[in-house]
Amino acid sequence: MSRKRIKHEVRNEGLILTSLVDIALSLVIGFIVALPFFFESGIFVSQPGVAKAVNGQESDVKVNIFLTNDGRIILNEKAVPKETLSSLLPQLLARSVSKRVIVSSDDRVRYDDVVQILDLAKQSGAADLCLLRTSKIR
Amino acid sequence: MTKNANIDILPMACVGLLLVIMMIMTAPMTMTHSNTRVTVPKTHTAERKTEEDITITLAKDGKLYLNDQLTDRLELEDQLGEVIDKDPYCLVVVRADKDVYHKDVLDLIAIAKQAGATRIACATKKRKD
C-alpha cells in the first residue's frame, strides 16, 4: 500500500484588510455627516443703528415682519398666516436689492418663534437679518 | 538571496486616522463655550462656522453666563468691552433658551453692540428632519 504524502504549502498571504479599511472609511464619513447635528451652529443677526437720511425715496422692496403676542405674523403691515409667509418671502426677497429682513416683536413673544422666522427668512434667500427693538410710546 | 522586507505602515495610518477623528470631534468643544445647558432653538440653516468666540448664555431661569461663568447684566458690558477691545472682530454668540422672551435676548444683543461687538450670532442647533 502506497502512502501519498500530502504536501502542505505554506503560503505567505498577508491579512486581508480591505474590509477593515472600508469600515473605517464608513465610520469617518458617518462622523463627518453627523457632526453638525452634535454641535451648535448659529444665524448671524444685526441690530440696525440710526443712519443719516438720504435725499429721495428709497425704491428697494422692504421686508418688515412683526410678531404679536397672540401669535399673528404681520408682513409689511398686513397679517399673513405662516404658510403664506413662506411663499411670499422668496418673492419679496427676489425683488429686493439689499435682501434685508427686519424682524420685530411684541414683549411676550418667545425667542423660539422669532428664530423660526429668521430661519424661514434665511431659507427664502435673506442676506441680512435685522432684529429691531420696539419701544412703547408713552 | 535578498528578502523584500517592507515596513507595514497600515497600523500607523489607522492611528493617524483615529487622531484626526478625535481632533475633529474635540476642536469645537475647546473653541466654543457651550457647557452651560440650555435648549437652543432648532433651525434648518447653519451659518456659523466654528471659531474662537465670546458666548453669552441666557438660561431658562434667567441666569446669565459669559463664557460659562455666571455674571449679571450690570457687569456684562464691562466684561464684554474688555474682551472686544483686544479683538474688535471677535464673534459674539448669544445662546438663549428657546423658551425665554425675545425681548430679553434683544437686550443682550443691545449690550453686546454697546460694548463694541460687530459680529453677533444667535446659537441654534441643526434640525434633523
Side-chain angles (χ1 to χ4, degrees):
Chain A
M1 208 174 158
S2 64
R3 279 186 181 174
K4 279 186 179 177
R5 275 193 177 178
I6 302 162
K7 284 182 181 177
H8 293 281
E9 283 184 19
V10 182
R11 286 181 190 169
N12 191 16
E13 283 182 353
L15 199 65
I16 301 162
L17 291 166
T18 319
S19 51
L20 185 83
V21 173
D22 281 352
I23 291 166
L25 207 67
S26 305
L27 280 173
V28 170
I29 293 165
F31 271 127
I32 291 166
V33 172
L35 267 179
F37 299 108
F38 286 118
F39 296 111
E40 286 175 7
S41 57
I43 299 175
F44 280 97
V45 290
S46 62
Q47 256 193 345
V50 179
K52 200 177 172 183
V54 288
N55 289 334
Q57 276 195 326
E58 207 177 322
S59 60
D60 195 14
V61 177
K62 287 183 179 67
V63 186
N64 293 321
I65 302 170
F66 185 81
L67 303 177
T68 60
N69 284 334
D70 53 0
R72 282 184 302 138
I73 301 166
I74 295 164
L75 174 69
N76 291 340
E77 297 172 7
K78 195 179 172 186
V80 287
K82 201 173 179 183
E83 296 77 38
T84 317
L85 182 74
S86 54
S87 61
L88 274 174
L89 266 180
Q91 293 171 21
L92 279 169
L93 287 166
R95 293 185 184 113
S96 170
V97 178
S98 62
K99 297 196 188 302
R100 176 178 290 169
V101 176
I102 298 170
V103 181
S104 52
S105 71
D106 273 337
D107 280 355
R108 301 258 161 204
V109 174
R110 279 169 70 239
Y111 174 58
D112 190 37
D113 298 336
V114 178
V115 172
Q116 296 314 315
I117 297 295
L118 295 177
D119 187 31
L120 189 67
K122 266 285 160 195
Q123 283 180 291
S124 306
D128 192 12
L129 298 174
C130 293
L131 296 175
L132 199 70
R133 291 179 92 187
T134 49
S135 55
K136 282 181 180 173
I137 300 163
R138 290 177 185 175
Chain B
M1 201 174 169
T2 54
K3 283 183 182 174
N4 189 13
N6 292 324
I7 301 168
D8 193 9
I9 60 159
L10 203 85
M12 196 178 76
C14 285
V15 172
L17 205 68
L18 270 174
L19 282 172
V20 169
I21 293 168
M22 295 291 274
M23 280 183 73
I24 291 170
M25 292 207 62
T26 52
M29 290 178 193
T30 54
M31 288 167 82
T32 57
H33 309 274
S34 53
N35 294 330
T36 315
R37 279 198 169 266
V38 285
T39 316
V40 294
K42 288 186 175 176
T43 56
H44 291 100
T45 43
E47 277 189 312
R48 184 166 70 95
K49 298 278 181 285
T50 305
E51 61 178 284
E52 189 80 40
D53 58 36
I54 307 167
T55 307
I56 307 167
T57 308
L58 179 63
K60 198 177 178 179
D61 55 2
K63 282 182 181 169
L64 195 64
Y65 301 84
L66 178 68
N67 290 344
D68 294 325
Q69 302 287 321
L70 192 67
T71 186
D72 56 43
R73 276 163 210 269
L74 297 171
E75 289 177 15
L76 184 66
E77 193 176 340
D78 295 335
Q79 290 172 331
L80 269 176
E82 282 172 23
V83 185
I84 292 167
D85 281 346
K86 290 173 193 166
D87 183 8
Y89 297 104
C90 186
L91 175 67
V92 176
V93 178
V94 179
R95 283 181 79 231
D97 195 282
K98 67 184 175 76
D99 292 321
V100 299
Y101 287 131
H102 177 57
K103 69 177 174 69
D104 296 333
V105 181
L106 276 182
D107 289 343
L108 294 181
I109 293 174
I111 291 170
K113 219 184 165 191
Q114 274 178 350
T118 50
R119 295 169 67 223
I120 303 167
C122 293
T124 58
K125 212 163 192 182
K126 201 161 166 53
R127 201 184 280 270
K128 283 175 186 171
D129 56 320

